[in-house]
Amino acid sequence: MSAPPRISCVILCHNYGRYLDRAIKSCLEQEPGNFALHEVIVIDDGSSDETEEVCLRREGDVKVIRRSQQGFGQTLTDAFLLSTGDWVAPLDADDWFHPSKLRTCAEAMTGESLFIEHWENVVDSDGNPMLEEPHPGGNTSTLVVHRDAGLSLLPASNEIFFHALREAGRGVVLRDPLTFYRVHPRSMTDRSTPGASQDYRADVCIALSDRLRSMYEIPPAWTSSRQLRRISWHFRALASGHRVESAMQRKERVSAMLLIPGMLIGTLRAHDPIAPWLKSLSSTIAGRPLVRLTANQERQAHS
């Protein structure tokens, strides 16, 4: 019988000290299951708030890595470089895990799976529910990644890099809401400026596409050169879709229309379903973005 998987929980923190203790506690108080909690690591990326004090109170329970600020991408990359478990469960310090997270994910660590993604409960800054129903995941705190596979995709600027494993058929998606995802005014993602989030995601998708293209000649064990080409085009198409949405949010309809052919080419080269492209096309024809803007965003888009 093989040994249970060793899971490293790695908490990414920059000035989220007020939330950090709950994040740490959620890792340490996981329900038992067919896994070993190998380590809990806090990477303090140059915090200037109470993060250090919180870590000192947890001395002995967690391993703390303090350094000058290097940014989210390097911190996420270091989560894989500095951990030593078989699997890595990254956690943004303003989020926290459900007690059954590791037990449930460990049950999916079978066969060819290298990437596990699950749903989330969206909460406000005080931890109160913002949505009545669970929400699909995909962000940092909703992933568990096989460390060796993750290392092959480094350096990563965003968790989207690890989505390549899912596109290669090595992923499992669970509908269980196993993370509490906190939305608050000081969240790292800019959700207030029209198009900002979409432009950022587009840049990440292009960087990932380029990274996959650089692996064509010597593909990692989890994929093939042919598959890498398809996946690279998939993220190219996603980037175009994000650019279309960004343009629509900024009321730049002509720019959006000019991006539509490139999105179609990427979709066809990736052998992806045509539905997302049709939605973007309909959005540009109707003159309405797919993502509903808040009143403040509408004002900025018109200014």
Side-chain angles (χ1 to χ4, degrees):
M1 181 180 293
S2 59
R6 301 173 304 156
I7 304 177
S8 298
C9 292
V10 187
I11 303 172
L12 288 58
C13 186
H14 174 69
N15 286 340
Y16 281 158
R18 60 198 178 283
Y19 302 127
L20 179 58
D21 193 71
R22 188 167 197 176
I24 293 173
K25 184 177 179 181
S26 75
C27 295
L28 295 173
E29 296 184 355
Q30 286 290 300
E31 297 173 359
N34 186 34
F35 70 92
L37 179 58
H38 182 63
E39 58 194 347
V40 178
I41 302 174
V42 176
I43 303 180
D44 177 5
D45 188 43
S47 297
S48 57
D49 63 353
E50 64 267 40
T51 293
E52 184 175 10
E53 288 75 18
V54 174
C55 290
L56 287 173
R57 292 200 300 269
R58 288 291 186 174
E59 191 173 19
D61 294 329
V62 302
K63 177 181 179 182
V64 180
I65 298 168
R66 285 184 56 83
R67 76 309 178 67
S68 59
Q69 186 178 1
Q70 297 181 36
F72 175 75
Q74 186 59 54
T75 306
L76 180 61
T77 295
D78 287 345
F80 286 80
L81 294 176
L82 300 174
S83 59
T84 56
D86 304 311
W87 290 76
V88 177
L91 174 62
D92 288 329
D94 52 341
D95 302 332
W96 74 94
F97 290 155
H98 189 279
S100 66
K101 159 138 178 168
L102 299 187
R103 172 180 61 78
T104 304
C105 289
E107 293 171 359
M109 294 175 184
T110 58
E112 296 295 307
S113 63
L114 298 173
F115 172 94
I116 298 167
E117 173 186 338
H118 57 74
W119 286 34
E120 64 191 4
N121 290 307
V122 181
V123 300
D124 63 18
S125 57
D126 296 321
N128 301 312
M130 291 184 66
L131 301 176
E132 292 183 3
E133 299 295 331
H135 187 268
N139 57 64
T140 309
S141 303
T142 64
L143 307 181
V144 184
V145 183
H146 193 278
R147 182 172 179 268
D148 288 346
L151 289 172
S152 71
L153 290 161
L154 301 183
S157 60
N158 182 276
E159 67 273 11
I160 291 173
F161 269 57
F162 306 116
H163 292 190
L165 298 169
R166 180 188 62 204
E167 298 305 318
R170 306 300 295 272
V172 176
V173 178
L174 306 175
R175 293 179 65 91
D176 306 71
L178 301 174
T179 288
F180 293 87
Y181 175 70
R182 197 188 303 261
V183 177
H184 54 94
R186 296 180 65 183
S187 292
M188 186 176 63
T189 303
D190 182 356
R191 295 182 178 85
S192 61
T193 305
S197 176
Q198 288 73 25
D199 284 338
Y200 169 70
R201 290 177 177 276
D203 289 342
V204 171
C205 287
I206 291 296
L208 173 54
S209 176
D210 290 342
R211 175 75 180 99
L212 296 173
R213 291 182 177 192
S214 73
M215 299 161 66
Y216 286 174
E217 291 190 9
I218 308 177
W222 50 267
T223 188
S224 65
S225 296
R226 182 177 180 180
Q227 193 173 48
L228 284 172
R229 287 182 172 84
R230 180 188 62 76
I231 300 171
S232 175
W233 278 110
H234 167 78
F235 285 103
R236 224 77 182 180
L238 279 183
S240 294
H242 289 310
R243 297 286 191 211
V244 170
E245 177 65 15
S246 172
M248 292 305 300
Q249 289 191 10
R250 290 181 280 108
K251 304 297 181 181
E252 298 175 359
R253 191 175 177 185
V254 174
S255 297
M257 287 299 297
L258 292 174
L259 291 163
I260 287 293
M263 184 180 179
L264 177 60
I265 291 171
T267 297
L268 296 175
R269 295 292 297 269
H271 305 291
D272 282 349
I274 200 92
W277 178 79
L278 289 174
K279 287 182 179 180
S280 291
L281 177 63
S282 298
S283 169
T284 58
I285 292 173
R288 292 191 300 269
L290 293 171
V291 178
R292 185 176 180 180
L293 301 177
T294 64
N296 183 52
Q297 288 174 306
E298 286 281 7
R299 287 194 293 271
Q300 291 186 58
H302 283 289
S303 63

